[in-house]
Amino acid sequence: MDVNQIWTSVLQSMENNINSTVGYKIHVKDAVTPVLFENSVFLIAVPMSINKNMIEFRYKKDIEAALERITGKKINLSVMVSEHTDAEKIIEQKNTPEISSEQFGLDMVNPKYTFENFVIGSSNEYATAAAISATEQPGYIYNPLFLYGNSGLGKTHLMHAMGNRIKENHPDFNIIYVTSEFFTNEFIASLKEFTTAEFRKKYRAADVLLVDDVQFLETKEATQEEFFHTFNDLYSLNKQIVLTSDRKPSDLTVLEERLRTRFSQGLIIDITIPNYETRMAILQKKAEFQNTVISEEVLGYIADRIKSNIRELEGALLKIISMSEMSHREINIELAEEVLKSILPKDGIVKITPDKIMDKVSVYYKITKDDLKGKIKTKNISVPRQVAMYLCKKLTDMNYSMIGNVFGGKDRTTVLHNVNKIEKEMESNEALKSDIKYIIKDLESI
Ligand code: ADP
Ligand code: MG
């Protein structure tokens, strides 16, 4: 059975079990593109991170159970967010005969992201320069190269661009790209199947190892241990290692000290928010790539409104283009305004609401929003709840009673107590402080 047939069977067998709720329709049925089934990992792609979160919170177990019924094996479900039609492209490319299947999986470099189509500006010039020079003599210049910055600023793009450039210069090199999540899932699957030897062999045979979003390793202790050994082996053989994260190594406070030290021993460089000129240049390049001519005025209109996330910037542009195609309308300010209205709040200023806080906090701690509003007192839920209340107090105009209301009708003294508790705890608990800092950063970047 191929991956599509399996997915079709999953959907059929799921619907008997799960009520056909709206959530299921939106986040699973309509959103999922099956991508790959390999080594007990079933990978699906969804267009938005909310789909991914919902699947992970609500549907993962049921899907895995269905996968087990269908394949007769224990399967790990892995969910990736793939903007626009990337999932289709991945499948397309995977099925293209010139690219062999072992050459194009999720553990490989995506040819779509290159240095040629990466716009350089002051926000990323050091990162790009470091990335380019590391590709000149992989393993010998900056090792590891550690790139960090907020979501949507081009870390993954740069990483793939490095992989593609090295491939050009060294066609024989074994270049592996993985997200730390994929690495973790594959490792866990290998433990279950007693294939860790093969798993190790695969990663230790890399000439270049690109690991994206290493912040997700923070809570995965066994995987950290495994990754530590992989890292050491490759490092001692002068194999190039590139890592990305949303924070710098010293802010990965939950990560084991020895990994943090390893991550810091090469070059650490950040990517920051692009300025207006860079945003314009990116929009121009992306429009060109879509073979669409768009006036400076319209591009400027977009660049003025979306400032801190290139993924959003690109998303807005693509929405405008597809809107114009669908409705046969010319791309002008009016159309752009209409589309942006659906993306941005009225005044263009991102307003932080309790709902957004709960969204981010629940995603960060991998619990549900209902948990935040509920009464469960176990630490893994009560701490995030206290954090969410603290953030509401800090970032919105709400008073304690109002906050209590949105958290399932708690009284003001409970909220006050919780907020104080977090404030006090932050004085000595560095990990908590860094979690909160991260969530705030995430809330502030649209
Ligand atoms: P991150 O990994 O930091 O979250 P990505 O690398 O996924 O961000 O970038 C998000 C989107 O923005 C991608 O489609 C990428 O091609 C695009 N992008 C980011 N930076 C640039 C840039 N400097 N030039 C062109 N495209 C960019
Ligand atoms: Mg990324």
Side-chain angles (χ1 to χ4, degrees):
M1 267 204 283
D2 76 3
V3 59
N4 288 311
Q5 285 169 329
I6 296 176
W7 185 248
T8 311
S9 313
V10 166
L11 289 181
Q12 281 161 358
S13 93
M14 288 278 287
E15 273 166 327
N16 303 331
N17 286 329
I18 286 193
N19 299 337
S20 26
T21 55
V22 179
Y24 174 72
K25 183 170 163 18
I26 295 175
H27 299 294
V28 181
K29 213 161 151 237
D30 296 345
V32 167
T33 310
V35 179
L36 190 82
F37 177 34
E38 235 169 52
N39 305 333
S40 304
V41 176
F42 195 92
L43 176 77
I44 56 176
V46 289
M48 289 184 294
S49 54
I50 180 79
N51 306 130
K52 177 176 153 83
N53 299 333
M54 285 305 291
I55 290 176
E56 285 173 348
F57 291 149
R58 297 245 188 267
Y59 306 108
K60 190 171 181 198
K61 283 210 178 72
D62 293 283
I63 297 174
E64 283 180 341
L67 283 166
E68 188 175 348
R69 279 197 300 278
I70 291 155
T71 62
K73 286 199 293 184
K74 274 241 176 291
I75 307 286
N76 280 292
L77 183 74
S78 186
V79 191
M80 70 181 277
V81 178
S82 172
E83 318 97 58
H84 325 306
T85 54
D86 281 4
E88 283 156 33
K89 279 201 194 123
I90 288 170
I91 292 164
E92 222 173 79
Q93 280 162 344
K94 192 171 154 51
N95 294 337
T96 314
E98 304 89 79
I99 305 176
S100 70
S101 67
E102 104 248 1
Q103 226 185 337
F104 205 93
L106 249 220
D107 45 358
M108 59 175 299
V109 175
N110 188 338
K112 159 179 156 180
Y113 297 120
T114 61
F115 284 120
E116 286 70 29
N117 61 24
F118 192 77
V119 174
I120 302 175
S122 55
S123 55
N124 58 30
E125 63 183 332
Y126 293 116
T128 315
I132 292 176
S133 51
T135 61
E136 279 158 12
Q137 241 188 316
Y140 287 91
I141 301 176
Y142 305 123
N143 209 15
L145 175 62
F146 191 103
L147 303 173
Y148 74 94
N150 277 357
S151 170
L153 294 181
K155 302 180 296 294
T156 299
H157 188 135
L158 264 187
M159 193 175 229
H160 283 288
M162 291 181 75
N164 285 315
R165 175 66 59 86
I166 298 174
K167 191 109 211 149
E168 267 166 43
N169 298 338
H170 306 270
D172 55 320
F173 267 24
N174 177 15
I175 304 171
I176 301 183
Y177 165 88
V178 273
T179 60
S180 70
E181 222 175 350
F182 189 90
F183 183 90
T184 305
N185 289 344
E186 218 185 356
F187 175 59
I188 292 168
S190 83
L191 288 177
K192 286 186 187 156
E193 294 197 336
F194 307 105
T195 54
T196 30
E198 282 153 43
F199 173 86
R200 282 188 186 137
K201 210 164 126 203
K202 168 179 166 182
Y203 283 96
R204 296 186 195 180
D207 293 303
V208 177
L209 179 61
L210 311 167
V211 186
D212 209 355
D213 289 323
V214 292
Q215 72 273 11
F216 291 118
L217 288 176
E218 275 200 316
T219 49
K220 319 274 177 359
E221 279 135 34
T223 312
Q224 283 185 39
E225 161 97 33
E226 181 62 31
F227 188 62
F228 179 73
H229 295 300
T230 308
F231 185 104
N232 288 346
D233 278 9
L234 293 178
Y235 183 81
S236 63
L237 295 168
N238 280 100
K239 305 295 188 188
Q240 178 71 46
I241 300 163
V242 184
L243 308 161
T244 70
S245 164
D246 63 353
R247 278 161 276 172
K248 56 179 179 295
S250 57
D251 284 346
L252 292 167
T253 44
V254 182
L255 197 74
E256 269 185 46
E257 172 66 31
R258 56 181 183 169
L259 264 182
R260 223 179 310 149
T261 314
R262 290 291 182 284
F263 289 178
S264 311
Q265 69 195 21
L267 181 70
I268 304 169
I269 227 160
D270 68 336
I271 302 186
T272 55
I273 291 172
N275 61 20
Y276 179 80
E277 287 73 25
T278 312
R279 299 201 295 279
M280 279 298 272
I282 291 171
L283 286 171
Q284 250 138 11
K285 194 141 211 155
K286 303 278 173 185
E288 228 170 77
F289 186 73
Q290 298 293 324
N291 289 320
T292 312
V293 181
I294 303 180
S295 70
E296 290 253 331
E297 194 195 3
V298 171
L299 295 180
Y301 183 85
I302 309 171
D304 258 338
R305 281 158 185 79
I306 301 183
K307 299 187 172 143
S308 56
N309 185 325
I310 298 171
R311 186 177 296 119
E312 303 275 349
L313 193 70
E314 192 181 356
L317 179 77
L318 295 176
K319 251 195 182 154
I320 291 170
I321 296 175
S322 71
M323 184 69 134
S324 118
E325 280 168 3
M326 277 186 325
S327 57
H328 305 288
R329 283 168 62 189
E330 184 197 339
I331 298 183
N332 52 22
I333 296 276
E334 198 193 348
L335 180 72
E337 195 181 343
E338 231 171 80
V339 172
L340 285 188
K341 226 191 258 165
S342 67
I343 306 176
L344 291 174
K346 249 201 234 104
D347 46 8
I349 296 165
V350 185
K351 194 161 185 284
I352 296 174
T353 59
D355 207 46
K356 276 196 193 138
I357 292 174
M358 285 195 227
D359 268 340
K360 298 287 184 195
V361 170
S362 62
V363 168
Y364 189 80
Y365 289 102
K366 293 201 184 335
I367 59 172
T368 66
K369 269 165 90 174
D370 284 344
D371 287 335
L372 289 176
K373 294 181 195 165
K375 295 201 166 67
I376 299 172
K377 289 222 163 64
T378 49
K379 210 169 162 204
N380 65 325
I381 292 178
S382 66
V383 173
R385 185 184 297 132
Q386 287 159 0
V387 168
M389 288 180 177
Y390 165 81
L391 290 172
C392 284
K393 187 71 194 107
K394 189 161 171 211
L395 305 174
T396 73
D397 306 329
M398 298 162 75
N399 63 29
Y400 293 115
S401 316
M402 286 151 91
I403 298 174
N405 272 338
V406 297
F407 280 83
K410 302 200 169 46
D411 61 41
R412 67 175 296 282
T413 46
T414 309
V415 179
L416 176 74
H417 174 74
N418 284 337
V419 172
N420 285 343
K421 203 162 166 194
I422 291 294
E423 270 170 358
K424 181 124 211 331
E425 181 78 20
M426 277 172 78
E427 286 167 15
S428 57
N429 185 338
E430 282 302 317
L432 178 71
K433 223 160 100 181
S434 115
D435 287 347
I436 291 179
K437 202 166 117 196
Y438 171 77
I439 298 168
I440 294 179
K441 220 164 81 176
D442 197 21
L443 275 163
E444 285 172 344
S445 72
I446 167 174

